Amino acid sequence: MATETLATPATLSDTQTRVFKNFIDGEWVESSSGETFEDRNPADTREVVGIFQKSSKADVDAAVAAAKRAFTKWRLVPAPRRAEIVFRAAEILIERKQDHARDMTREMGKVLAETRGDVQEAIDAAYYNAGEGRRMFGPTTPSEMPNKFAMAVRQPIGVCGMITPWNFPMAISSWKLLPAVVCGNTCVIKPAQDTPLSTFNLVRALVDAGLPKGVINIVTGFGAEVGTPLAEHRDVRAISLTGSSAVGRIVGGIAAQSFKHCSLELGGKNPMIVLDDANLDLAIEGGLWGGFGTTGQRCTATSRIIVQKGVYREFVERYVDRAKKLKVGNGLDETVQMGPAINQKQLETDLSYVEIGRAEGAKLLTGGHRLDKGEYQYGWFMEPTVFSEVAPKMRIAQEEVFGPVVSIIPCDGLEDAIDIANDIEYGLSSSIYTKDVNKAFSAMRDLDAGITYINAPTIGAEVHLPFGGTKATGNGHREGGIGAIDFYTEWKSVYVDYSDKLQKAQIDRPE
Ligand code: NAD
């Protein structure tokens, strides 16, 4: 990709450009203020991946107005036709997968294998939601009256607003946009300020697949300046946020003012339980992948490992030994296993938790330092970090770090492990390693989380199952699978009386 070209793209298919305007009503438009911001590579901050519009309420208003106009026609396009566009976008994304993965690694740092996975998740979501175009099932059910027909149909809601985080920049945009448009809604999306390019790449595939103008609009910028006005807008009938629980509280409060549908997918502090009878090789492998994949910057990251005392010492020794050997670096190098933190602020947070853990009396067994020499000098790198002897109530065991910092907590057995796992503000993902089927089923029932894995780490969700969590992880909605179709549609119950007389429900009945 050319780094010296600063031309503004005339069409969505120009991948060589570095200045991106907002995408409103099928047109590229500058922010009303004319201000921009830079998207820089966290592995090498000398590299500007793109320049994006620093937008404000006026830009949100223009995008919402465009989406509202587009809705009048889009809602009437038959769902299977809408879905065909999404299907074609999947095929386009397959062709562009390698390029989009490279863009994503440059924009947010995770290694190429993972950014390919992120693009693949958008492809999977496109195929799944394309299929929904011919389903979107609703119940038909007998009426209590004679000669009366009863059914419930799914209807689109209208203009939907989406606010996304940076850690799965294409996958999470796809989880929101694709079901929304298949259901007949129109959208305004505000991507995370650290990763707007991946959302542009997704939307470009949809536009190249034939999506009409105004159906999806992109407004880039910062949370309070773009996200808040989007959530507040009276014409936005549904708002979907994936982000931190702190921002979830703000957006949820705003949405309540105008009674809009509101889906909040928020933070996690995900436990992985390792019992004495576990396959230890497998558990160590899983714990490394879950703890340090995406540099620990997954909402589902395995940030707490709760290990039964019989295998605790061996697990800790072998886990730490492997963590020390992880190769940290620029994710564009295929041999690298862990990339940088997303930005300086996140790196500082990660390092501050090292100090917090130390001060609390946890044992720092490896890591804890910034890497800033030689090849690391221009990036936000940090060593993979492991604490042992962590007590369940310590802050490093309770608070979401969102970095490569894993806490290992000793436990007495299954019941103790589940108590520790559940005694936390969040409830996103969870996992258990055991060969005992009785214990596995008890854990499936008792772990208070939206997702439970057996003999796998806390990461690895697939697009066709519901995704989300309990407690401070969200407000009860789910993305993925049928959960998303439920969120992006409004039920309408329809009664057809063909008796030719007034029939009164609950009243015209034999006593
Ligand atoms: P964040 O909460 O800082 O930002 C998320 C989005 O909200 C960004 O687009 C941001 O610009 C916007 N925003 C910030 N302040 C806002 C405001 N006042 N009004 C409206 N919008 C605002 O989160 P992040 O740092 O981008 O992502 C990390 C967080 O996301 C972690 O807590 C992680 O657990 C969570 N996450 C959750 C899931 C899930 O599905 N549960 C998935 C990925 C990430």
Side-chain angles (χ1 to χ4, degrees), residues 412-424:
D412 292 327
L414 180 66
E415 269 184 38
D416 188 30
I418 287 178
D419 285 347
I420 294 169
N422 289 346
D423 187 13
I424 188 120

Side-chain angles (χ1 to χ4, degrees), residues 284-304:
I284 289 164
E285 203 68 44
L288 286 162
W289 172 228
F292 300 111
T294 320
T295 319
Q297 302 172 124
R298 291 190 184 212
C299 51
T300 52
T302 308
S303 45
R304 296 185 290 157

Side-chain angles (χ1 to χ4, degrees), residues 315-341:
F315 180 90
V316 170
E317 259 177 41
R318 290 177 56 194
Y319 186 81
V320 168
D321 184 50
R322 289 285 305 278
K324 281 181 182 159
K325 292 181 184 138
L326 288 174
K327 184 170 176 190
V328 180
N330 188 326
L332 291 176
D333 173 349
E334 297 272 7
T335 65
V336 161
Q337 292 164 297
M338 193 181 98

Side-chain angles (χ1 to χ4, degrees), residues 453-471:
Y453 294 89
I454 309 299
N455 293 324
T458 56
I459 66 177
E462 300 177 29
V463 301
H464 50 301
L465 275 79
F467 183 93
T470 62
K471 301 187 276 185

Side-chain angles (χ1 to χ4, degrees), residues 481-494:
I482 197 71
I485 302 299
D486 286 338
F487 180 72
Y488 289 108
T489 51
E490 194 92 75
W491 281 115
K492 175 176 278 188
S493 298
V494 180

Side-chain angles (χ1 to χ4, degrees), residues 164 166-167 190 193 228 242-244 247 266-267 299 400 402 467:
T164 57
W166 48 266
N167 64 339
K190 187 210 95 62
Q193 56 270 23
T228 298
T242 300
S244 58
V247 173
L266 310 173
C299 51
E400 186 182 47
F402 223 57
F467 183 93

